[in-house]
Amino acid sequence: GNSVTQMEGPVTLSEEAFLTINCTYTATGYPSLFWYVQYPGEGLQLLLKATKADDKGSNKGFEATYRKETTSFHLEKGSVQVSDSAVYFCALWETSGSRLTFGEGTQLTVNP
Amino acid sequence: DTAVSQTPKYLVTQMGNDKSIKCEQNLGHDTMYWYKQDSKKFLKIMFSYNNKELIINETVPNRFSPKSPDKAHLNLHINSLELGDSAVYFCASSPGTGGNQPQHFGDGTRLSIL
């Protein structure tokens, strides 16, 4: 079946450091890919998405590129801020099942 | 104005009780979902409704029963609560069932079983 694997957390960085959170997926067909972010005590919010190979999603300084050849959708940000501390979820949309499949989530803590 | 609102935000109750969680969305979306998030933050879909019709019913104990009185509401009733039901339950909605349509989440209901 379809699945999403994220790098193990938690991740702790200093402010202005470079961030990469790895995400790889297994899917039949060509899924849409998403990154969601969950701030403490809140629900998930869509951060960015990409719907086909080589698409780059970007938002709030975060970027991720849909790489079909490596089945990856790694999240990057050049300079993180304390306010980026949250849990980040990679997800894919399974057309056949009409559902989102989430990765395990990666806790990011950014220290001043 | 909250887009997807869940009530209550916190629910603490005894094992064996029956409880309900309500969800309402004011986005005009056709599709609504219930997810369960465990203590390790793993998120799993439980149910999905499209225009009041059940379209996803995951392997969930039949003690859990969703009800959608109209497309703006999706409630979750849980009978005979067990310790393992302790989790955060999230309601979400999307314009439709297509893959390009992002889901909007409520802030969650934190259920604790004593």
Side-chain angles (χ1 to χ4, degrees):
Chain A
N2 298 337
S3 65
V4 176
T5 302
Q6 289 181 229
M7 67 185 286
E8 284 189 26
V11 174
T12 303
L13 296 173
S14 298
E15 211 165 18
E16 298 184 5
F18 184 85
L19 168 72
T20 300
I21 301 178
N22 289 341
C23 171
T24 57
Y25 66 90
T26 303
T28 52
Y30 303 99
S32 295
L33 301 173
F34 303 83
W35 277 100
Y36 280 81
V37 58
Q38 184 180 23
Y39 297 103
E42 298 183 11
L44 280 71
Q45 303 173 27
L46 178 67
L47 182 58
L48 53 85
K49 69 176 184 180
T51 58
K52 60 183 189 297
D54 300 326
D55 266 3
K56 178 186 281 190
S58 60
N59 185 25
K60 300 181 182 179
F62 291 89
E63 291 183 340
T65 301
Y66 189 142
R67 301 277 187 211
K68 182 164 157 277
E69 62 277 11
T70 54
T71 61
S72 65
F73 192 54
H74 304 322
L75 182 68
E76 296 182 336
K77 186 175 186 183
S79 175
V80 293
Q81 305 301 312
V82 172
S83 57
D84 294 327
S85 298
V87 181
Y88 291 81
F89 292 90
C90 185
L92 69 80
W93 176 264
E94 307 175 41
T95 303
S96 59
S98 295
R99 69 190 65 199
L100 275 175
T101 295
F102 287 92
E104 307 90 347
T106 301
Q107 173 76 57
L108 170 67
T109 301
V110 180
N111 295 318
Chain B
D1 221 11
T2 306
V4 180
S5 59
Q6 298 179 225
T7 53
K9 192 172 175 71
Y10 298 95
L11 188 50
V12 181
T13 190
Q14 302 274 358
M15 209 163 50
N17 283 350
D18 303 339
K19 290 293 178 187
S20 291
I21 307 171
K22 295 187 176 181
C23 179
E24 175 181 4
Q25 54 95 3
N26 63 5
L27 298 166
H29 289 171
D30 285 343
T31 310
M32 295 185 73
Y33 311 82
W34 276 111
Y35 288 89
K36 179 180 180 181
Q37 186 176 47
D38 64 23
S39 58
K40 295 183 179 177
K41 301 288 189 183
F42 185 70
L43 205 63
K44 188 167 163 47
I45 191 163
M46 300 172 70
F47 303 102
S48 172
Y49 273 73
N50 186 57
N51 270 321
K52 301 195 298 176
E53 184 183 335
L54 180 67
I55 57 172
I56 293 175
N57 186 354
E58 280 297 282
T59 309
V60 174
N62 57 16
R63 298 182 294 104
F64 290 78
S65 52
K67 279 195 171 55
S68 183
D70 55 61
K71 72 176 192 177
H73 295 84
L74 180 61
N75 304 323
L76 183 65
H77 187 76
I78 315 170
N79 287 328
S80 302
L81 282 157
E82 299 178 357
L83 289 175
D85 297 333
S86 294
V88 182
Y89 292 84
F90 286 99
C91 177
S93 72
S94 63
T97 57
N100 295 339
Q101 302 177 67
Q103 295 184 14
H104 297 252
F105 284 75
D107 285 343
T109 296
R110 284 143 188 84
L111 174 63
S112 298
I113 310 301
L114 303 178

